[in-house]
């Protein structure tokens, strides 16, 4: 996982640095003291591009690595195959998808209050964001990040953990990794707030034998929470 994340981060940094510099007519190999001032908006665009490309490269590296190790069974390893039937009835899965965002929002906001975090208070989008930028950001939260993170954690990492400690252990291990990866300036508030989601994603991966239900739940939870935070009033 560290190798995948490190390689994806390095590739995104280099791609954005070189690509944006060439697009702007800047020599990407200029020393720092000779580089022109980019401005806050340009820096924000580059930061978002780095985050988005990191997820693209991460997904590609995970899929490519699984294919390289097992060209015949890489889909099964990442829970992307359709050979086995879905282990959950569609109506049950739909019910989970409909109910979960309410539970997730209640848990996240309650956890923030318990830890004294300012999460969820006075959230507004930057006035510099265009409609295209907002659409791209929402696509990143609801589609791109869930796909990449689920491929890594509930795909590759889950397969490795399940082989070593069984399904229950794999659910717990991947949940703890997911929560720990979201440690931020809010301290333990964010990882604790995401732990139930992480456990639910691991359980869905085991129960259904597929990756896409977890991707759907992950993306839907992100979108519902952002909608709640940005809702006027």
């Amino acid at each position: 996982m560290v190798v995948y994340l490190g390689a994806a981060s390095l590739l995104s940094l280099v791609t954005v640095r070189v690509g944006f510099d060439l697009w702007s007519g800047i020599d990407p190999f200029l020393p720092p003291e000779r580089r022109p001032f980019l401005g806050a908006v340009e820096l924000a665009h580059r930061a978002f591009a780095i985050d988005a490309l990191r997820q693209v490269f991460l997904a590609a590296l995970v899929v490519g690595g699984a294919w390289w190790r097992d060209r015949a069974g890489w889909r099964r390893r990442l829970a992307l195959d359709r050979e086995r039937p879905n282990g959950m009835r569609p109506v049950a899965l739909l019910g989970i998808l409909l109910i979960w965002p309410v539970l997730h929002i209640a848990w996240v906001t309650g956890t923030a209050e318990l830890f004294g975090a300012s999460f969820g208070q006075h959230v507004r989008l930057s006035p510099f964001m265009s409609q295209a930028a907002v659409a791209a950001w929402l696509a990143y939260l609801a589609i791109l990040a869930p796909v990449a993170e689920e491929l890594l954690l509930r795909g590759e990492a889950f397969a490795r953990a399940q082989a070593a400690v069984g399904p229950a252990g794999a659910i717990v291990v991947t949940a703890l990794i997911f929560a720990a990866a979201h440690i931020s300036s809010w301290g333990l508030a964010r990882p604790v707030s995401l732990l139930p989601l992480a456990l639910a994603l691991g359980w869905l991966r085991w129960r259904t034998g597929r990756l896409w239900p977890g991707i759907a739940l992950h993306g839907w939870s992100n979108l519902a929470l952002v909608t709640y935070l940005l809702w006027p009033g």
Side-chain angles (χ1 to χ4, degrees), residues 19 57 155 200:
F57 285 126

Side-chain angles (χ1 to χ4, degrees), residues 99-108:
I99 295 172
W100 181 263
V102 177
L103 302 176
H104 183 59
I105 290 171
W107 175 262
V108 170

Side-chain angles (χ1 to χ4, degrees), residues 172-213:
V172 173
V173 167
T174 53
L176 291 176
I177 294 174
F178 180 83
H182 288 83
I183 293 178
S184 65
S185 58
W186 292 320
L188 293 178
R190 194 176 184 195
V192 171
S193 71
L194 292 176
L195 194 55
L197 173 62
L199 291 170
L201 292 172
W203 178 80
L204 273 179
R205 162 66 175 85
W206 166 75
R207 184 69 177 81
T208 66
R210 307 278 181 85
L211 197 63
W212 71 263

Side-chain angles (χ1 to χ4, degrees), residues 78-226:
L78 298 179
L80 297 174
D81 68 296
R82 297 183 178 181
E83 296 177 2
R84 294 179 299 172
N86 191 336
M88 180 179 291
R89 295 176 58 190
V91 65
L93 180 57
L94 180 60
I96 292 174
L97 291 175
L98 290 175
I99 295 172
W100 181 263
V102 177
L103 302 176
H104 183 59
I105 290 171
W107 175 262
V108 170
T109 54
T111 303
E113 184 177 351
L114 179 65
F115 281 86
S118 60
F119 179 74
Q121 298 178 0
H122 311 297
V123 177
R124 295 292 184 272
L125 291 178
S126 169
F128 298 107
M129 294 182 70
S130 63
Q131 290 184 348
V134 172
W137 178 65
L138 291 176
Y140 166 81
L141 288 175
I143 301 173
L144 189 57
V147 168
E149 291 177 7
E150 292 309 307
L151 278 169
L152 178 63
L153 284 169
R154 259 63 61 171
E156 179 63 29
F158 193 97
R160 289 176 177 266
Q162 187 174 24
V165 296
I171 293 172
V172 173
V173 167
T174 53
L176 291 176
I177 294 174
F178 180 83
H182 288 83
I183 293 178
S184 65
S185 58
W186 292 320
L188 293 178
R190 194 176 184 195
V192 171
S193 71
L194 292 176
L195 194 55
L197 173 62
L199 291 170
L201 292 172
W203 178 80
L204 273 179
R205 162 66 175 85
W206 166 75
R207 184 69 177 81
T208 66
R210 307 278 181 85
L211 197 63
W212 71 263
I215 293 174
L217 182 64
H218 193 159
W220 177 227
S221 296
N222 286 356
L223 186 59
L225 184 59
V226 167

